[in-house]
Short mmCIF file of all heavy atoms in Angstrom, two decimals:
data_model
loop_
_atom_site.label_atom_id
_atom_site.label_comp_id
_atom_site.label_asym_id
_atom_site.label_seq_id
_atom_site.Cartn_x
_atom_site.Cartn_y
_atom_site.Cartn_z
N MET A 108 -186.03 47.07 64.57
CA MET A 108 -186.20 46.34 65.77
C MET A 108 -187.26 47.01 66.62
O MET A 108 -187.22 48.22 66.90
CB MET A 108 -184.91 46.26 66.57
CG MET A 108 -185.10 45.66 67.89
SD MET A 108 -183.60 45.37 68.89
CE MET A 108 -182.29 46.38 68.40
N SER A 109 -188.25 46.20 67.04
CA SER A 109 -189.39 46.84 67.95
C SER A 109 -189.01 46.72 69.39
O SER A 109 -188.06 45.97 69.70
CB SER A 109 -190.59 46.04 67.64
OG SER A 109 -190.51 44.71 68.16
N ASP A 110 -189.62 47.51 70.16
CA ASP A 110 -189.31 47.47 71.58
C ASP A 110 -189.64 46.09 72.19
O ASP A 110 -189.01 45.73 73.22
CB ASP A 110 -190.23 48.52 72.30
CG ASP A 110 -189.76 49.96 71.96
OD1 ASP A 110 -188.50 50.13 71.65
OD2 ASP A 110 -190.47 50.95 72.12
N ALA A 111 -190.46 45.29 71.64
CA ALA A 111 -190.83 43.98 72.19
C ALA A 111 -189.68 43.01 72.06
O ALA A 111 -189.60 42.06 72.75
CB ALA A 111 -192.07 43.50 71.44
N THR A 112 -188.77 43.22 71.06
CA THR A 112 -187.72 42.31 70.86
C THR A 112 -186.45 42.73 71.51
O THR A 112 -185.49 42.02 71.64
CB THR A 112 -187.45 42.13 69.38
OG1 THR A 112 -187.05 43.34 68.77
CG2 THR A 112 -188.62 41.47 68.65
N PHE A 113 -186.36 43.97 71.97
CA PHE A 113 -185.08 44.44 72.66
C PHE A 113 -185.04 43.88 74.04
O PHE A 113 -185.99 43.91 74.86
CB PHE A 113 -185.17 46.01 72.80
CG PHE A 113 -183.90 46.51 73.51
CD1 PHE A 113 -182.70 46.55 72.88
CD2 PHE A 113 -184.05 47.05 74.78
CE1 PHE A 113 -181.54 47.04 73.53
CE2 PHE A 113 -182.97 47.52 75.51
CZ PHE A 113 -181.79 47.50 74.87
N ARG A 114 -183.81 43.28 74.34
CA ARG A 114 -183.50 42.74 75.71
C ARG A 114 -182.30 43.36 76.20
O ARG A 114 -181.22 43.18 75.65
CB ARG A 114 -183.42 41.22 75.65
CG ARG A 114 -184.59 40.55 75.18
CD ARG A 114 -184.45 38.98 75.21
NE ARG A 114 -185.65 38.44 74.65
CZ ARG A 114 -185.68 37.25 74.11
NH1 ARG A 114 -184.59 36.51 74.02
NH2 ARG A 114 -186.81 36.80 73.67
N PRO A 115 -182.41 44.05 77.35
CA PRO A 115 -181.14 44.67 77.90
C PRO A 115 -180.28 43.58 78.43
O PRO A 115 -180.67 42.45 78.66
CB PRO A 115 -181.69 45.56 79.08
CG PRO A 115 -183.05 45.01 79.34
CD PRO A 115 -183.55 44.39 78.08
N ALA A 116 -178.98 43.92 78.73
CA ALA A 116 -177.99 42.95 79.18
C ALA A 116 -178.50 42.53 80.60
O ALA A 116 -179.26 43.28 81.28
CB ALA A 116 -176.72 43.67 79.45
N ARG A 117 -178.13 41.35 80.99
CA ARG A 117 -178.65 40.81 82.22
C ARG A 117 -178.21 41.52 83.51
O ARG A 117 -178.98 41.68 84.41
CB ARG A 117 -178.05 39.38 82.45
CG ARG A 117 -178.89 38.38 81.56
CD ARG A 117 -178.34 37.00 81.85
NE ARG A 117 -179.13 36.02 81.07
CZ ARG A 117 -178.94 34.73 81.21
NH1 ARG A 117 -178.00 34.26 81.99
NH2 ARG A 117 -179.69 33.87 80.53
N GLN A 118 -177.03 42.02 83.55
CA GLN A 118 -176.54 42.68 84.76
C GLN A 118 -175.96 44.11 84.43
O GLN A 118 -175.48 44.26 83.25
CB GLN A 118 -175.42 41.84 85.36
CG GLN A 118 -175.85 40.54 85.88
CD GLN A 118 -174.76 39.83 86.65
OE1 GLN A 118 -173.79 40.46 87.14
NE2 GLN A 118 -174.94 38.58 87.00
N GLY A 119 -176.18 44.90 85.24
CA GLY A 119 -175.55 46.23 85.14
C GLY A 119 -176.34 47.31 84.28
O GLY A 119 -175.87 48.29 83.95
N GLY A 120 -177.52 46.93 83.92
CA GLY A 120 -178.41 47.90 83.22
C GLY A 120 -178.44 47.65 81.77
O GLY A 120 -178.35 46.52 81.31
N THR A 121 -178.54 48.68 80.90
CA THR A 121 -178.76 48.57 79.55
C THR A 121 -177.59 49.20 78.76
O THR A 121 -176.67 49.79 79.33
CB THR A 121 -180.06 49.26 79.06
OG1 THR A 121 -179.96 50.70 79.41
CG2 THR A 121 -181.29 48.60 79.78
N GLY A 122 -177.52 48.93 77.45
CA GLY A 122 -176.55 49.57 76.61
C GLY A 122 -175.15 48.87 76.79
O GLY A 122 -175.08 47.79 77.28
N LEU A 123 -174.20 49.58 76.22
CA LEU A 123 -172.83 48.95 76.25
C LEU A 123 -172.30 48.85 77.68
O LEU A 123 -171.55 47.77 77.95
CB LEU A 123 -171.89 49.84 75.44
CG LEU A 123 -171.84 49.78 73.96
CD1 LEU A 123 -170.86 50.75 73.33
CD2 LEU A 123 -171.52 48.41 73.54
N ALA A 124 -172.57 49.80 78.55
CA ALA A 124 -172.07 49.64 79.91
C ALA A 124 -172.63 48.38 80.53
O ALA A 124 -171.95 47.58 81.22
CB ALA A 124 -172.46 50.89 80.77
N GLY A 125 -173.93 48.08 80.36
CA GLY A 125 -174.54 46.89 80.88
C GLY A 125 -173.96 45.65 80.22
O GLY A 125 -173.85 44.69 80.94
N MET A 126 -173.70 45.67 78.94
CA MET A 126 -173.16 44.50 78.24
C MET A 126 -171.75 44.24 78.81
O MET A 126 -171.44 43.04 79.11
CB MET A 126 -173.05 44.81 76.76
CG MET A 126 -172.49 43.59 75.98
SD MET A 126 -172.34 43.93 74.20
CE MET A 126 -170.93 45.00 74.20
N PHE A 127 -170.95 45.26 79.00
CA PHE A 127 -169.57 44.99 79.57
C PHE A 127 -169.68 44.56 80.98
O PHE A 127 -168.84 43.73 81.45
CB PHE A 127 -168.76 46.24 79.31
CG PHE A 127 -168.27 46.33 77.95
CD1 PHE A 127 -168.59 47.42 77.13
CD2 PHE A 127 -167.47 45.43 77.29
CE1 PHE A 127 -168.28 47.56 75.84
CE2 PHE A 127 -167.01 45.52 75.99
CZ PHE A 127 -167.41 46.60 75.23
N ALA A 128 -170.60 45.14 81.77
CA ALA A 128 -170.72 44.74 83.15
C ALA A 128 -171.17 43.21 83.23
O ALA A 128 -170.54 42.46 84.10
CB ALA A 128 -171.75 45.55 83.94
N GLY A 129 -172.03 42.82 82.39
CA GLY A 129 -172.45 41.34 82.38
C GLY A 129 -171.32 40.52 81.86
O GLY A 129 -171.07 39.48 82.52
N LEU A 130 -170.48 40.98 80.92
CA LEU A 130 -169.36 40.17 80.43
C LEU A 130 -168.31 40.10 81.56
O LEU A 130 -167.79 38.94 81.82
CB LEU A 130 -168.76 40.83 79.24
CG LEU A 130 -167.57 40.12 78.68
CD1 LEU A 130 -167.85 38.78 78.17
CD2 LEU A 130 -166.94 41.02 77.48
N ARG A 131 -168.01 41.16 82.28
CA ARG A 131 -167.09 41.13 83.40
C ARG A 131 -167.55 40.15 84.48
O ARG A 131 -166.73 39.38 85.04
CB ARG A 131 -166.92 42.45 84.02
CG ARG A 131 -165.92 43.33 83.22
CD ARG A 131 -165.51 44.56 83.97
NE ARG A 131 -166.61 45.45 84.27
CZ ARG A 131 -167.07 46.34 83.48
NH1 ARG A 131 -166.55 46.59 82.32
NH2 ARG A 131 -168.15 47.17 83.87
N ALA A 132 -168.84 40.13 84.75
CA ALA A 132 -169.32 39.24 85.77
C ALA A 132 -169.25 37.77 85.38
O ALA A 132 -168.86 36.90 86.18
CB ALA A 132 -170.85 39.59 86.11
N ARG A 133 -169.50 37.53 84.09
CA ARG A 133 -169.39 36.12 83.63
C ARG A 133 -167.93 35.66 83.63
O ARG A 133 -167.61 34.52 83.99
CB ARG A 133 -169.97 35.96 82.22
CG ARG A 133 -171.52 35.99 82.25
CD ARG A 133 -172.17 35.71 80.90
NE ARG A 133 -171.82 36.61 79.82
CZ ARG A 133 -172.45 37.81 79.67
NH1 ARG A 133 -173.41 38.15 80.48
NH2 ARG A 133 -172.10 38.52 78.64
N ILE A 134 -166.97 36.54 83.25
CA ILE A 134 -165.62 36.25 83.33
C ILE A 134 -165.13 36.03 84.75
O ILE A 134 -164.36 35.05 84.93
CB ILE A 134 -164.76 37.33 82.63
CG1 ILE A 134 -164.97 37.40 81.14
CG2 ILE A 134 -163.28 37.17 82.93
CD1 ILE A 134 -164.48 38.56 80.43
N ALA A 135 -165.63 36.83 85.67
CA ALA A 135 -165.22 36.64 87.14
C ALA A 135 -165.73 35.30 87.65
O ALA A 135 -165.06 34.59 88.32
CB ALA A 135 -165.74 37.78 87.91
N ALA A 136 -166.99 34.94 87.29
CA ALA A 136 -167.56 33.70 87.76
C ALA A 136 -166.80 32.51 87.17
O ALA A 136 -166.58 31.52 87.81
CB ALA A 136 -169.04 33.61 87.33
N ARG A 137 -166.37 32.61 85.87
CA ARG A 137 -165.62 31.50 85.20
C ARG A 137 -164.33 31.37 85.88
O ARG A 137 -163.82 30.34 86.11
CB ARG A 137 -165.41 31.85 83.75
CG ARG A 137 -164.64 30.75 83.05
CD ARG A 137 -165.36 29.40 82.88
NE ARG A 137 -164.49 28.50 82.19
CZ ARG A 137 -164.78 27.25 82.08
NH1 ARG A 137 -165.92 26.78 82.51
NH2 ARG A 137 -164.03 26.45 81.40
N ARG A 138 -163.65 32.43 86.29
CA ARG A 138 -162.35 32.45 86.99
C ARG A 138 -162.54 31.68 88.36
O ARG A 138 -161.68 30.86 88.72
CB ARG A 138 -161.82 33.83 87.15
CG ARG A 138 -160.54 33.97 87.94
CD ARG A 138 -159.40 33.14 87.53
NE ARG A 138 -159.08 33.17 86.12
CZ ARG A 138 -158.44 32.20 85.46
NH1 ARG A 138 -158.07 31.18 86.04
NH2 ARG A 138 -158.25 32.38 84.16
N ILE A 139 -163.61 32.01 89.09
CA ILE A 139 -163.88 31.28 90.34
C ILE A 139 -164.04 29.81 90.06
O ILE A 139 -163.48 29.05 90.83
CB ILE A 139 -165.09 31.93 91.02
CG1 ILE A 139 -164.71 33.32 91.54
CG2 ILE A 139 -165.54 31.07 92.14
CD1 ILE A 139 -165.95 34.11 91.94
N TYR A 140 -164.72 29.41 89.06
CA TYR A 140 -164.94 28.05 88.78
C TYR A 140 -163.63 27.30 88.45
O TYR A 140 -163.34 26.30 89.04
CB TYR A 140 -165.91 27.90 87.58
CG TYR A 140 -166.00 26.50 87.07
CD1 TYR A 140 -166.86 25.54 87.66
CD2 TYR A 140 -165.28 26.04 85.93
CE1 TYR A 140 -166.89 24.24 87.23
CE2 TYR A 140 -165.36 24.79 85.44
CZ TYR A 140 -166.22 23.85 86.12
OH TYR A 140 -166.23 22.53 85.66
N VAL A 141 -162.80 27.94 87.60
CA VAL A 141 -161.52 27.30 87.18
C VAL A 141 -160.61 27.19 88.34
O VAL A 141 -159.93 26.12 88.57
CB VAL A 141 -160.93 28.11 85.98
CG1 VAL A 141 -159.52 27.67 85.79
CG2 VAL A 141 -161.74 27.99 84.74
N ASP A 142 -160.46 28.26 89.15
CA ASP A 142 -159.68 28.25 90.35
C ASP A 142 -160.08 27.22 91.39
O ASP A 142 -159.30 26.49 91.97
CB ASP A 142 -159.61 29.56 90.99
CG ASP A 142 -158.83 30.70 90.15
OD1 ASP A 142 -158.09 30.26 89.20
OD2 ASP A 142 -158.93 31.87 90.46
N THR A 143 -161.43 27.09 91.56
CA THR A 143 -161.86 26.12 92.56
C THR A 143 -161.66 24.72 92.05
O THR A 143 -161.19 23.88 92.91
CB THR A 143 -163.42 26.33 92.79
OG1 THR A 143 -163.69 27.74 93.26
CG2 THR A 143 -163.93 25.37 93.79
N VAL A 144 -161.82 24.42 90.84
CA VAL A 144 -161.58 23.04 90.25
C VAL A 144 -160.12 22.76 90.48
O VAL A 144 -159.65 21.74 90.95
CB VAL A 144 -161.95 22.90 88.79
CG1 VAL A 144 -161.31 21.65 88.15
CG2 VAL A 144 -163.44 22.91 88.67
N ARG A 145 -159.20 23.73 90.07
CA ARG A 145 -157.74 23.54 90.26
C ARG A 145 -157.35 23.24 91.71
O ARG A 145 -156.63 22.31 92.01
CB ARG A 145 -157.00 24.71 89.67
CG ARG A 145 -155.53 24.52 89.69
CD ARG A 145 -154.63 25.70 89.28
NE ARG A 145 -155.22 26.46 88.13
CZ ARG A 145 -155.67 27.65 88.28
NH1 ARG A 145 -155.66 28.34 89.39
NH2 ARG A 145 -156.13 28.25 87.16
N GLU A 146 -157.87 24.07 92.57
CA GLU A 146 -157.51 23.85 94.03
C GLU A 146 -158.01 22.58 94.53
O GLU A 146 -157.30 21.87 95.38
CB GLU A 146 -158.03 25.06 94.80
CG GLU A 146 -157.32 26.28 94.52
CD GLU A 146 -155.77 26.36 94.77
OE1 GLU A 146 -155.41 25.74 95.86
OE2 GLU A 146 -155.07 26.89 94.04
N LEU A 147 -159.23 22.29 94.28
CA LEU A 147 -159.81 21.07 94.84
C LEU A 147 -159.11 19.76 94.25
O LEU A 147 -158.97 18.77 94.91
CB LEU A 147 -161.26 20.94 94.68
CG LEU A 147 -162.12 21.91 95.49
CD1 LEU A 147 -163.62 21.86 95.13
CD2 LEU A 147 -161.96 21.62 97.00
N SER A 148 -158.76 19.86 92.95
CA SER A 148 -158.10 18.76 92.28
C SER A 148 -156.71 18.43 92.89
O SER A 148 -156.28 17.30 92.80
CB SER A 148 -157.95 19.11 90.81
OG SER A 148 -159.21 19.11 90.20
N ARG A 149 -156.09 19.47 93.49
CA ARG A 149 -154.76 19.19 94.08
C ARG A 149 -154.84 18.44 95.44
O ARG A 149 -153.95 17.93 95.91
CB ARG A 149 -154.15 20.57 94.28
CG ARG A 149 -153.63 21.23 93.02
CD ARG A 149 -153.04 22.65 93.34
NE ARG A 149 -152.63 23.16 92.13
CZ ARG A 149 -152.34 24.48 91.99
NH1 ARG A 149 -152.36 25.23 92.96
NH2 ARG A 149 -151.93 24.91 90.80
N LEU A 150 -156.05 18.48 95.97
CA LEU A 150 -156.21 17.76 97.31
C LEU A 150 -156.16 16.24 97.16
O LEU A 150 -156.55 15.71 96.11
CB LEU A 150 -157.46 18.20 98.00
CG LEU A 150 -157.62 19.66 98.35
CD1 LEU A 150 -159.04 19.92 98.90
CD2 LEU A 150 -156.50 20.13 99.29
N SER A 151 -155.68 15.60 98.16
CA SER A 151 -155.76 14.18 98.15
C SER A 151 -157.20 13.63 98.43
O SER A 151 -158.10 14.44 98.85
CB SER A 151 -154.81 13.57 99.33
OG SER A 151 -155.37 13.84 100.59
N ASN A 152 -157.49 12.36 98.18
CA ASN A 152 -158.81 11.84 98.36
C ASN A 152 -159.14 11.91 99.86
O ASN A 152 -160.23 12.24 100.20
CB ASN A 152 -158.85 10.39 97.98
CG ASN A 152 -158.77 10.15 96.51
OD1 ASN A 152 -159.13 11.11 95.73
ND2 ASN A 152 -158.41 9.06 96.00
N ARG A 153 -158.15 11.75 100.76
CA ARG A 153 -158.42 11.85 102.19
C ARG A 153 -158.82 13.35 102.55
O ARG A 153 -159.72 13.56 103.31
CB ARG A 153 -157.16 11.50 103.00
CG ARG A 153 -157.22 11.74 104.45
CD ARG A 153 -158.33 10.93 105.15
NE ARG A 153 -158.44 11.30 106.48
CZ ARG A 153 -159.24 10.67 107.38
NH1 ARG A 153 -159.91 9.64 106.91
NH2 ARG A 153 -159.28 11.06 108.54
N GLU A 154 -158.13 14.38 102.00
CA GLU A 154 -158.52 15.80 102.32
C GLU A 154 -159.86 16.01 101.71
O GLU A 154 -160.57 16.77 102.37
CB GLU A 154 -157.39 16.65 101.63
CG GLU A 154 -156.09 16.55 102.35
CD GLU A 154 -154.93 17.23 101.63
OE1 GLU A 154 -154.86 17.14 100.41
OE2 GLU A 154 -154.09 17.87 102.34
N LEU A 155 -160.18 15.53 100.55
CA LEU A 155 -161.46 15.72 99.99
C LEU A 155 -162.59 15.12 100.90
O LEU A 155 -163.58 15.76 101.15
CB LEU A 155 -161.65 15.21 98.55
CG LEU A 155 -160.88 15.96 97.48
CD1 LEU A 155 -160.83 15.13 96.14
CD2 LEU A 155 -161.50 17.34 97.25
N ALA A 156 -162.29 13.90 101.41
CA ALA A 156 -163.24 13.31 102.33
C ALA A 156 -163.39 14.03 103.53
O ALA A 156 -164.58 14.14 104.11
CB ALA A 156 -162.70 11.87 102.63
N ASP A 157 -162.41 14.73 104.02
CA ASP A 157 -162.50 15.49 105.22
C ASP A 157 -163.46 16.73 105.01
O ASP A 157 -164.11 17.16 105.87
CB ASP A 157 -161.13 16.08 105.74
CG ASP A 157 -160.25 14.91 106.37
OD1 ASP A 157 -160.82 13.90 106.68
OD2 ASP A 157 -159.05 15.27 106.41
N LEU A 158 -163.48 17.16 103.71
CA LEU A 158 -164.43 18.25 103.28
C LEU A 158 -165.79 17.74 103.00
O LEU A 158 -166.64 18.59 102.69
CB LEU A 158 -163.80 18.95 102.12
CG LEU A 158 -162.55 19.73 102.43
CD1 LEU A 158 -161.97 20.34 101.05
CD2 LEU A 158 -162.67 20.83 103.39
N GLY A 159 -166.01 16.44 102.96
CA GLY A 159 -167.31 15.89 102.58
C GLY A 159 -167.38 15.75 101.09
O GLY A 159 -168.56 15.69 100.70
N LEU A 160 -166.37 15.67 100.31
CA LEU A 160 -166.43 15.70 98.89
C LEU A 160 -165.78 14.36 98.36
O LEU A 160 -164.79 13.94 98.98
CB LEU A 160 -165.70 16.78 98.32
CG LEU A 160 -166.29 18.18 98.44
CD1 LEU A 160 -165.45 19.26 97.80
CD2 LEU A 160 -167.70 18.27 97.68
N HIS A 161 -166.31 13.81 97.27
CA HIS A 161 -165.63 12.89 96.55
C HIS A 161 -165.09 13.48 95.28
O HIS A 161 -165.51 14.53 94.82
CB HIS A 161 -166.73 11.79 96.09
CG HIS A 161 -166.13 10.59 95.45
ND1 HIS A 161 -165.93 10.56 94.08
CD2 HIS A 161 -165.57 9.47 95.91
CE1 HIS A 161 -165.33 9.35 93.83
NE2 HIS A 161 -165.17 8.68 94.89
N ARG A 162 -164.07 12.84 94.74
CA ARG A 162 -163.39 13.45 93.63
C ARG A 162 -164.34 13.71 92.46
O ARG A 162 -164.18 14.71 91.72
CB ARG A 162 -162.21 12.54 93.14
CG ARG A 162 -161.33 13.21 92.15
CD ARG A 162 -159.93 12.63 92.04
NE ARG A 162 -159.19 12.75 93.34
CZ ARG A 162 -158.52 13.76 93.83
NH1 ARG A 162 -158.52 14.90 93.06
NH2 ARG A 162 -157.88 13.79 94.90
N SER A 163 -165.32 12.95 92.35
CA SER A 163 -166.28 13.04 91.23
C SER A 163 -167.19 14.22 91.46
O SER A 163 -167.87 14.67 90.51
CB SER A 163 -167.16 11.83 91.07
OG SER A 163 -167.91 11.56 92.25
N ALA A 164 -167.20 14.84 92.60
CA ALA A 164 -168.08 15.91 92.97
C ALA A 164 -167.38 17.32 92.81
O ALA A 164 -167.95 18.30 93.13
CB ALA A 164 -168.70 15.76 94.32
N ILE A 165 -166.06 17.31 92.44
CA ILE A 165 -165.29 18.55 92.42
C ILE A 165 -166.00 19.62 91.38
O ILE A 165 -166.17 20.80 91.80
CB ILE A 165 -163.83 18.31 91.91
CG1 ILE A 165 -163.08 17.62 93.09
CG2 ILE A 165 -163.13 19.56 91.56
CD1 ILE A 165 -161.71 17.16 92.82
N GLU A 166 -166.28 19.17 90.17
CA GLU A 166 -166.93 20.09 89.28
C GLU A 166 -168.23 20.63 89.78
O GLU A 166 -168.53 21.84 89.58
CB GLU A 166 -167.00 19.46 87.87
CG GLU A 166 -165.69 19.21 87.26
CD GLU A 166 -165.74 18.66 85.89
OE1 GLU A 166 -166.84 18.66 85.31
OE2 GLU A 166 -164.76 18.28 85.35
N ALA A 167 -169.04 19.83 90.40
CA ALA A 167 -170.38 20.35 90.88
C ALA A 167 -170.11 21.40 92.02
O ALA A 167 -170.77 22.36 92.09
CB ALA A 167 -171.22 19.20 91.36
N ALA A 168 -169.15 21.08 92.93
CA ALA A 168 -168.78 22.03 93.97
C ALA A 168 -168.34 23.31 93.45
O ALA A 168 -168.64 24.42 93.87
CB ALA A 168 -167.80 21.41 94.92
N ALA A 169 -167.52 23.23 92.40
CA ALA A 169 -166.94 24.42 91.66
C ALA A 169 -168.07 25.26 91.12
O ALA A 169 -168.07 26.53 91.11
CB ALA A 169 -165.89 24.06 90.70
N ARG A 170 -169.07 24.54 90.42
CA ARG A 170 -170.18 25.28 89.81
C ARG A 170 -171.02 25.97 90.92
O ARG A 170 -171.34 27.13 90.67
CB ARG A 170 -171.07 24.26 89.05
CG ARG A 170 -170.74 24.12 87.63
CD ARG A 170 -171.77 23.36 86.82
NE ARG A 170 -172.10 22.09 87.36
CZ ARG A 170 -171.53 20.96 87.22
NH1 ARG A 170 -170.48 20.98 86.45
NH2 ARG A 170 -171.91 19.84 87.74
N ASP A 171 -171.24 25.32 92.00
CA ASP A 171 -171.90 25.94 93.14
C ASP A 171 -171.20 27.13 93.63
O ASP A 171 -171.80 28.22 93.88
CB ASP A 171 -172.20 24.93 94.29
CG ASP A 171 -173.18 23.86 94.01
OD1 ASP A 171 -173.97 24.05 92.98
OD2 ASP A 171 -173.26 22.90 94.75
N ALA A 172 -169.88 27.04 93.76
CA ALA A 172 -169.12 28.17 94.24
C ALA A 172 -169.15 29.37 93.28
O ALA A 172 -169.21 30.52 93.65
CB ALA A 172 -167.64 27.81 94.46
N ALA A 173 -169.06 29.08 92.01
CA ALA A 173 -169.05 30.15 91.00
C ALA A 173 -170.35 30.76 90.62
O ALA A 173 -170.51 31.95 90.42
CB ALA A 173 -168.32 29.63 89.71
N TYR A 174 -171.36 29.88 90.46
CA TYR A 174 -172.64 30.29 89.94
C TYR A 174 -173.74 30.11 90.88
O TYR A 174 -174.95 30.45 90.48
CB TYR A 174 -172.94 29.53 88.66
CG TYR A 174 -171.82 29.57 87.65
CD1 TYR A 174 -171.04 28.39 87.35
CD2 TYR A 174 -171.50 30.64 86.96
CE1 TYR A 174 -170.02 28.42 86.52
CE2 TYR A 174 -170.46 30.71 86.00
CZ TYR A 174 -169.73 29.64 85.81
OH TYR A 174 -168.75 29.67 84.87
N GLY A 175 -173.59 29.67 92.04
CA GLY A 175 -174.65 29.34 92.98
C GLY A 175 -175.42 28.10 92.66
O GLY A 175 -175.15 27.45 91.64
N ARG A 176 -176.36 27.66 93.40
CA ARG A 176 -177.12 26.49 93.13
C ARG A 176 -178.07 26.77 92.03
O ARG A 176 -178.76 27.76 91.97
CB ARG A 176 -177.86 26.00 94.38
CG ARG A 176 -176.93 25.60 95.48
CD ARG A 176 -177.54 24.46 96.21
NE ARG A 176 -176.52 24.08 97.24
CZ ARG A 176 -175.81 22.97 97.22
NH1 ARG A 176 -175.92 22.18 96.18
NH2 ARG A 176 -175.04 22.71 98.20
N VAL A 177 -178.12 25.76 91.04
CA VAL A 177 -178.94 25.99 89.90
C VAL A 177 -180.16 25.14 90.02
O VAL A 177 -180.21 24.18 90.58
CB VAL A 177 -178.23 25.65 88.64
CG1 VAL A 177 -179.11 25.73 87.39
CG2 VAL A 177 -176.96 26.53 88.48
#
């Protein structure tokens, strides 16, 4: 493997520590997404409207909460 093809982990530096830090960050973000979808899905349509959301926008709102605007 040449230096040109080596890519360090996205978060937390390089090597195994960086790989595990990146994995932990992705798992944490996924947990935020799942929890947000679950909590918003439990709300009534009226409660969602009070928040300015339609039921069809729950997954997009959860993605924004977990991963930021893409």
Side-chain angles (χ1 to χ4, degrees):
M108 171 173 21
S109 70
D110 289 335
T112 60
F113 177 73
R114 294 182 188 158
R117 285 184 175 182
Q118 297 187 14
T121 61
L123 279 179
M126 182 183 72
F127 285 115
L130 180 60
R131 279 191 301 274
R133 288 189 296 278
I134 290 170
R137 178 68 180 174
R138 173 56 46 205
I139 291 169
Y140 172 80
V141 169
D142 290 346
T143 302
V144 168
R145 184 183 320 114
E146 292 297 320
L147 289 175
S148 295
R149 290 179 179 167
L150 297 177
S151 69
N152 288 338
R153 174 64 188 186
E154 291 168 322
L155 287 170
D157 288 345
L158 294 173
L160 290 175
H161 186 270
R162 192 157 298 280
S163 64
I165 288 175
E166 290 183 10
R170 269 192 307 276
D171 287 347
Y174 307 110
R176 297 218 178 251
V177 179

